[in-house]
Amino acid sequence: MDRARAHAPALLGTGGRALADLVLPRTCGGCGLPGAVLCPRCRSWLAHPRVAQPRRHPPGFPPTVAAGPYAGPVRPAVLAFKERGRAELAAPLGTALALAVAAVLSALPPDGGRPVLLVPVPSSAAAVRQRGRDHVRELAGRAAAELRAAGVPARLAPLLRRAAGTRDSAGLTAHERSANLAGRFGPRRRARYPPGGRLVLVDDVVTSGATLVEAARALRALVGPGAPPVLAAVVAATPRRGLTPDPGPAGATFTVRR
């Protein structure tokens, strides 16, 4: 039903949205209650960005901020958007990502005139075919629009590609993730870096940090020396196993499990 509802507005047009809500009622992507796409309580889990730090900090891991923990209602919401066709969740998850981007940019000296380039971590071609879309690129586009509305000169910058032959990281150990991704990211054909642009890698979830390490390496190689540091922002970070996370205050740290 959720998959059908996600596609119904596009098929019916703007005038059919109210009818779609009657025939295919909305449920919260986090808790499943009827009503909002993501209810206020579940949204609150993504309203307190924190620094994400892998327990065993891998060399080259970029400074990263997560909007919330990959736990509680956040995990089912991300999975519903990513794997179950709940495309309408791009709006609240994109807003959360924009919040994480704004938080990580606060580490840099203020410079309102320089563009902010949101570089989506590329999905594999097989994953894009299976899902029918590049979900991280969708989130990056939403986040860029939110930041522009707030006066931040942000834009989507798909500068990277993922080489063929990369396995899905689900179920792999941290060591296996690193080996699987080593050297797999590179510049897209005709990718161009605007000098002076502030670089923020964006992804949906960070677990061991291996993906962000490899993507940051490829991005640094593309932009060359003298460019601003590569930062990263994600919707959610996997908390340390055994902890019971909660939304918590801003300024805390997510210890990412390994």
Side-chain angles (χ1 to χ4, degrees), residues 76-134:
V78 171
L79 288 174
F81 170 70
K82 181 177 180 178
E83 306 290 358
R84 299 180 188 131
R86 292 289 303 270
E88 71 272 24
L89 284 163
L93 297 182
T95 298
L97 182 58
L99 191 62
V101 171
V104 78
L105 285 173
S106 68
L108 297 178
D111 190 347
R114 295 165 65 184
V116 177
L117 306 179
L118 302 192
V119 183
V121 171
S123 301
S124 68
V128 172
R129 285 194 301 270
Q130 181 179 356
R131 297 179 184 126
R133 68 200 214 282
D134 187 333

Side-chain angles (χ1 to χ4, degrees), residues 44-52 65-69 99 103 244-255:
S44 70
W45 282 68
L46 293 169
H48 303 284
R50 313 181 198 182
V51 174
V65 167
L99 191 62
T244 302
D246 56 57
T253 298
F254 290 123
T255 302

Side-chain angles (χ1 to χ4, degrees), residues 38-70:
L38 197 64
C39 73
R41 179 182 176 279
C42 292
R43 282 177 183 258
S44 70
W45 282 68
L46 293 169
H48 303 284
R50 313 181 198 182
V51 174
Q53 293 278 9
R55 288 183 64 195
R56 298 177 184 175
H57 202 286
F61 185 75
T64 303
V65 167
Y70 189 53

